[in-house]
Amino acid sequence: MHPAPSIIAFTVLSGLGLGLLAFLGLGVLVPTGVAAFLWFGLGYALTLIGLAFSAFHLGHPERALKAFSQWRTSWLSREAVLATAALLFMAPHAAGLVFWGQPLVGFGIIGGVLCLQTVLATSMIYAQLRTVPRWNHWTTPAVFILAALTGGAILTVMAFVAQILLAWLALTLVGHWLLGDRRFAKSGATMGTATGLGERGTVRQLEPPHTGQNYLLKEMVYVVARKHALKLRGIALVLSCIGPSLILWIAPFSLVGTVLAVLVHVTGMAAARWLFFAEAEHVVGLYYGREP
Amino acid sequence: MTALPATTDRKLGLVIDLDTCVGCHACVVSCKSWNTENYGAPLSDVDAYGADPVGTFLNRVHSYEVTPPDAAPMVVHMPKSCLHCEDAPCVTVCPTGASYKRTEDGIVLVNEQDCIGCGLCAWACPYGAREMDALAGVMKKCTLCVDRIYNENLPEEDREPACVRTCPAGARHFGDLGDADSDVSQLVAARGGMDLMPELGTKPVNKYLPPRKRHALPAAPVTTPAPSTEGLTGFLGWIDRSLARF
């Protein structure tokens, strides 16, 4: 799948922002006054910048409001509804802390849970697709939710919790990669089933339908990453989990350590998310002779 | 709503005969022509006369070579467009309700006024049947020529999809696959019509008729022995023997 920068920025930044807001809402950190303004401001800013990036991906962003209507069937619509609900429920809790130094615990808890449900909805947009076997697995939502929680834990300076989550995220990422490598074969889709001719003999592409590029090939038959996949997985794992873990171990509760750990973690998650798209094989590639 | 209807009154679709298709791409051209001039945003081309032309097509013809273990390889041309699936994954993922399946005839359509161009339906389709138009920014797909098949301004023989009407080989058939007595259903029954990628559970309405069994090639003829003068008798033998003495 084509790793669109807008989608990578959207999922990484909104995941981090929603992870932070979830911890703030659930009362892990209870800042007041200006501190509360900065903490909630950071959470809202990350989430809203992420959502703005997602709008860049649309052909008609001016019609985005229509995306709130199909929450009964569509995970993308559920994501839009949940994100809005999460930010609205979090607002009274944030305002209480900023202006009156008083948390509104009920709003905070509901908002926090909605934040995590938003991340789940985002991940299900990908995990629901049977056409992309690598994504169509429970490790996809696991990686998205753990990444959000880990980012939130590092940001809210919970060094011990962050260390546990970093280890857990690392294991889940490796699991997602290794199990993902076998998903396409498990889906059962081959050039033989795609063309219906597999029972007669071996099928190969003789001529593509056109000599140039098309939307399908650009969007769904992206093959650049496969060559360096192993190295990139190593880089993503070191930056997203191992690096931040070492930094937090050396300087657990310092400002510099926390900021550095967050920056390295976000860079690593962006690399991992790039791989998430670039490595994913869509079954439509079979019609173009691409059997992974 | 983007919920799929539990049942549809009819199941309009195509039956494509892989034994008859000659791979001429006439259906591709007539489809592009009709759907550019009629319903919805035109199917645009970008850099059409330049070095890297790309364009939107609702129907494309692939060509494959199948090599059976015990027979000669054969070429199979496979036109591919929307299969108007009964369990269409492209419909349920749509966040705006732009994508829908009609209850009356089962045709899967996009309401272009509601499409935000997110592209998720194209990701959900296993067959590559949906393409985002580069200029219009909305998702395009086969409409089964919904603006032809019910169009009373057209002569009756033209009230079928443009690709079916134009096929010079008669490889494409249009009809109600929900009616067991229809011509297309009988064709499917007689020829063992098949689904593409059935393991993805989309239950396509369109069916493909597999190539008929070919006769096995006869064994290669025994090569005649190289010309030789050995055992030659009579006049020619006498010349051969006489000349061999020198």
Side-chain angles (χ1 to χ4, degrees):
Chain A
M1 306 296 285
H2 173 63
S6 56
I7 293 286
I8 294 170
F10 156 57
T11 55
V12 172
L13 293 180
S14 70
L16 183 68
L18 289 166
L20 171 60
L21 286 178
F23 278 116
L24 290 173
L26 296 174
V28 169
L29 198 70
V30 193
T32 52
V34 178
F37 179 79
L38 292 175
W39 276 115
F40 282 98
L42 180 64
Y44 271 89
L46 285 168
T47 309
L48 291 171
I49 290 170
L51 290 170
F53 270 115
S54 79
F56 286 136
H57 187 69
L58 301 178
H60 282 278
E62 77 280 6
R63 298 175 187 160
L65 279 181
K66 292 180 193 277
F68 289 83
S69 62
Q70 304 302 311
W71 50 270
R72 286 188 196 84
T73 47
S74 166
W75 279 107
L76 183 50
S77 186
R78 283 172 203 161
E79 180 201 36
V81 172
L82 284 167
T84 311
L87 295 182
L88 287 178
F89 267 94
M90 196 62 79
H93 177 63
L97 284 168
V98 172
F99 298 113
W100 300 286
Q102 278 296 321
L104 292 168
V105 180
F107 281 103
I109 289 174
I110 294 173
V113 171
L114 285 170
C115 283
L116 294 178
Q117 284 182 331
T118 308
V119 178
L120 177 71
T122 305
S123 69
M124 285 308 293
I125 293 171
Y126 306 107
Q128 69 177 331
L129 297 174
R130 294 181 70 182
T131 49
V132 186
R134 187 182 283 279
W135 292 348
N136 189 224
H137 194 246
W138 61 265
T139 51
T140 299
V143 165
F144 273 68
I145 288 185
L146 276 172
L149 288 174
T150 307
I154 302 175
L155 268 174
T156 49
V157 208
M158 299 196 297
F160 182 66
V161 178
Q163 289 286 22
I164 293 170
L165 285 168
L166 280 167
W168 203 357
L169 175 62
L171 285 177
T172 314
L173 270 176
V174 172
H176 177 69
W177 289 329
L178 296 183
L179 293 172
D181 289 342
R182 294 188 228 153
R183 292 291 299 162
F184 205 102
K186 273 199 166 177
S187 79
T190 61
M191 275 187 81
T193 65
T195 58
L197 301 168
E199 285 172 22
R200 282 159 188 274
T202 51
V203 183
R204 76 174 179 103
Q205 178 177 242
L206 191 64
E207 287 175 322
H210 41 87
T211 50
Q213 273 283 342
N214 72 7
Y215 170 77
L216 302 169
L217 291 170
K218 285 186 197 169
E219 186 78 6
M220 286 168 260
V221 195
Y222 187 86
V223 288
V224 177
R226 318 262 164 93
K227 194 174 158 195
H228 301 297
L230 197 64
K231 279 181 214 163
L232 285 166
R233 284 178 182 180
I235 292 169
L237 192 65
V238 166
L239 289 177
S240 65
C241 300
I242 299 171
S245 175
L246 287 176
I247 295 168
L248 290 184
W249 185 57
I250 295 164
F253 295 102
S254 71
L255 180 66
V256 179
T258 302
V259 171
L260 202 62
V262 168
L263 291 179
V264 173
H265 169 74
V266 168
T267 314
M269 276 320 297
R273 207 47 57 77
W274 187 86
L275 269 176
F276 176 76
F277 288 97
E279 278 197 294
E281 308 92 344
H282 195 288
V283 293
V284 79
L286 295 170
Y287 288 104
Y288 290 86
R290 303 263 164 75
E291 264 186 325
Chain B
M1 281 304 289
T2 47
L4 288 163
T7 54
T8 57
D9 301 341
R10 294 193 292 160
K11 294 178 188 173
L12 294 187
L14 301 175
V15 172
I16 297 171
D17 190 341
L18 297 179
D19 217 12
T20 309
C21 177
V22 295
C24 70
H25 292 240
C27 54
V28 178
V29 177
S30 68
C31 167
K32 177 102 170 179
S33 168
W34 178 266
N35 287 293
T36 289
E37 293 158 8
N38 295 281
Y39 166 84
L43 303 174
S44 68
D45 291 311
V46 179
D47 196 22
Y49 302 99
D52 188 21
V54 285
T56 313
F57 287 82
L58 310 183
N59 177 33
R60 296 183 186 261
V61 180
H62 297 250
S63 297
Y64 301 101
E65 182 192 69
V66 188
T67 312
D70 55 350
M74 74 167 122
V75 172
V76 178
H77 301 288
M78 175 171 277
K80 190 162 56 59
S81 53
C82 173
L83 307 178
H84 298 280
C85 303
E86 284 179 58
D87 203 348
C90 56
V91 170
T92 48
V93 299
C94 177
T96 67
S99 210
Y100 63 104
K101 186 171 174 70
R102 306 201 330 167
T103 314
E104 60 268 39
D105 51 20
I107 300 179
V108 177
L109 286 177
V110 174
N111 175 356
E112 292 177 9
Q113 275 70 50
D114 282 351
C115 176
I116 56 172
C118 68
L120 189 56
C121 56
W123 288 10
C125 172
Y127 309 107
R130 290 173 168 243
E131 299 188 18
M132 180 105 75
D133 190 85
L135 296 187
V138 294
M139 196 54 73
K140 300 296 296 185
K141 69 174 295 302
C142 162
T143 65
L144 213 59
C145 283
V146 70
D147 50 350
R148 283 176 72 97
I149 58 177
Y150 298 115
N151 191 338
E152 291 183 358
N153 296 318
L154 295 176
E156 205 172 333
E157 64 269 28
D158 283 337
R159 289 179 212 160
E160 58 183 11
C163 55
V164 176
R165 186 79 181 99
T166 208
C167 179
R172 307 180 67 104
H173 308 272
F174 165 69
D176 180 7
L177 287 142
D179 171 9
D181 295 330
S182 68
D183 290 350
V184 282
S185 295
Q186 290 185 1
L187 200 51
V188 169
R191 291 278 307 281
M194 60 187 183
D195 291 345
L196 303 186
M197 268 197 260
E199 66 278 9
L200 271 107
T202 53
K203 291 195 255 163
V205 169
N206 284 14
K207 302 282 184 239
Y208 283 80
L209 306 180
R212 294 177 180 88
K213 276 265 183 280
R214 297 287 194 274
H215 295 296
L217 281 183
V222 181
T223 42
T224 39
S228 156
T229 58
E230 209 168 302
L232 215 56
T233 55
F235 178 65
L236 285 176
W238 173 76
I239 291 182
D240 180 55
R241 284 191 303 275
S242 306
L243 289 173
R245 284 193 199 118
F246 296 100

